[in-house]
Amino acid sequence: INCFNIETTRAVIEAAQSLRAPIIINIVQEHMENHCDSELIAPIVRLLAQRASVEVALNFDHGVNIGLVKKALHDGYTSVMIDGSKEDFENNIAVSKKVVEMAHAKGIPVEAELGKVGGKEDDLVAEADTNTDVNEAVEFVERTGVDSLAIAIGTAHGFYVGTHVLDKERLSEIAKVVSIPLVLHGASGISDEDVADCVSRGISKVNFATELRVAYTDACKKLYVEKPETFDPKAYGKVGMAAVKKLVMNRMRVCGCDGKAE
């Protein structure tokens, strides 16, 4: 789950504890560049994780700046993602392999992306969708040594304009020939049925971001309309957290991770 403030982080962990589900919290690179200090984010999440009764991991999401990826490794993230999907195939391999070498030296796993997921991930925009090639996926994994691979099958960052057309057969083909966990980005707005089907076909990690922001913001808007005299920020945080927790619990059930905590 992509978290964007301490309230959403707490709500996600509460949801995980309620369903006894292990959880990965994503912090996207854009937050570190424009809104947050990485040196503060990791200790806060680690403290919340230590207090939690389920496993909580912290992932640096969509890193395109190797310097910031290196900083995330230093600051205590438990995994990192290098997104070289905007590069050509050979350059994507080169940058991903470089991050793998840095991260594995610290015992930290690396996620990479092959193919282009459309839409917008904060300030990262893919102008067109290019689904992941099966043969390239095999070569990419072998040459980079990455630990998980985000693939493109028709999803989009943000909310998709129109109706999703997911190439699920492509997913099934890749899952047959690639041994590492596969990741689905841009899952906000995808139906529960499609998410569950993708998981059954081989997706091990599903990223949700935009729909949480909408749930949180809509809950705050509703409170303002119903009780415009409310001025205490804690009141808005409370309703926002409740909305996020409810949504995350539903998505956890759909992905089948409920009850999987050790």
Side-chain angles (χ1 to χ4, degrees), residues 15-229:
Q17 291 183 136
S18 295
L19 293 182
R20 303 300 304 157
I23 188 68
I24 300 172
I25 291 176
N26 285 331
I27 302 295
V28 75
Q29 174 181 297
E30 188 266 347
H31 289 172
M32 285 172 58
E33 292 179 312
N34 299 327
H35 304 298
C36 303
D37 184 339
S38 175
E39 294 177 1
L40 295 177
I41 296 173
I44 290 172
V45 177
R46 281 205 306 270
L47 178 59
L48 293 172
Q50 290 169 3
R51 293 175 176 177
S53 59
V54 296
E55 303 96 320
V56 180
L58 176 60
N59 180 58
F60 178 61
D61 192 33
H62 280 284
V64 295
N65 183 315
I66 290 186
L68 287 178
V69 175
K70 186 176 182 179
K71 180 173 172 54
L73 292 171
H74 177 268
D75 289 342
Y77 286 70
T78 54
S79 62
V80 295
M81 179 200 175
I82 177 63
D83 184 358
S85 62
K86 285 188 176 182
E87 305 288 340
D88 61 35
F89 185 64
E90 288 298 328
N91 285 336
N92 192 356
I93 287 178
V95 70
S96 299
K97 186 175 181 179
K98 184 175 182 179
V99 170
V100 166
E101 291 171 353
M102 290 191 305
H104 283 187
K106 293 178 174 291
I108 295 176
V110 178
E111 174 187 335
E113 183 171 317
L114 182 63
K116 291 182 173 62
V117 178
K120 185 175 187 297
E121 177 66 26
D122 291 300
D123 62 344
L124 309 177
V125 180
E127 296 179 353
D129 292 338
T130 304
N131 287 350
T132 306
D133 178 87
V134 178
N135 293 327
E136 285 188 350
V138 175
E139 182 179 353
F140 186 90
V141 170
E142 290 178 349
R143 291 176 60 185
T144 61
V146 295
D147 303 281
S148 60
L149 182 66
I151 60 174
I153 60 169
T155 56
H157 294 124
F159 279 131
Y160 193 84
V161 178
T163 303
H164 282 95
V165 180
L166 302 181
D167 191 347
K168 297 179 183 178
E169 291 305 317
R170 179 75 60 93
L171 162 58
S172 296
E173 291 173 12
I174 295 173
K176 289 178 182 178
V177 295
V178 173
S179 60
I180 63 174
L182 299 178
V183 182
L184 184 68
H185 284 226
S188 288
I190 298 179
S191 69
D192 288 350
E193 292 75 17
D194 279 340
V195 171
D197 192 18
C198 287
V199 171
S200 71
R201 289 171 180 263
I203 290 294
S204 297
K205 172 173 173 273
V206 186
N207 283 19
F208 298 102
T210 302
E211 63 185 29
L212 275 79
R213 300 182 187 192
V214 172
Y216 188 96
T217 304
D218 283 352
C220 292
K221 288 178 180 178
K222 182 180 179 182
L223 175 61
Y224 179 77
V225 170
E226 294 178 348
K227 298 180 179 180
E229 71 280 5

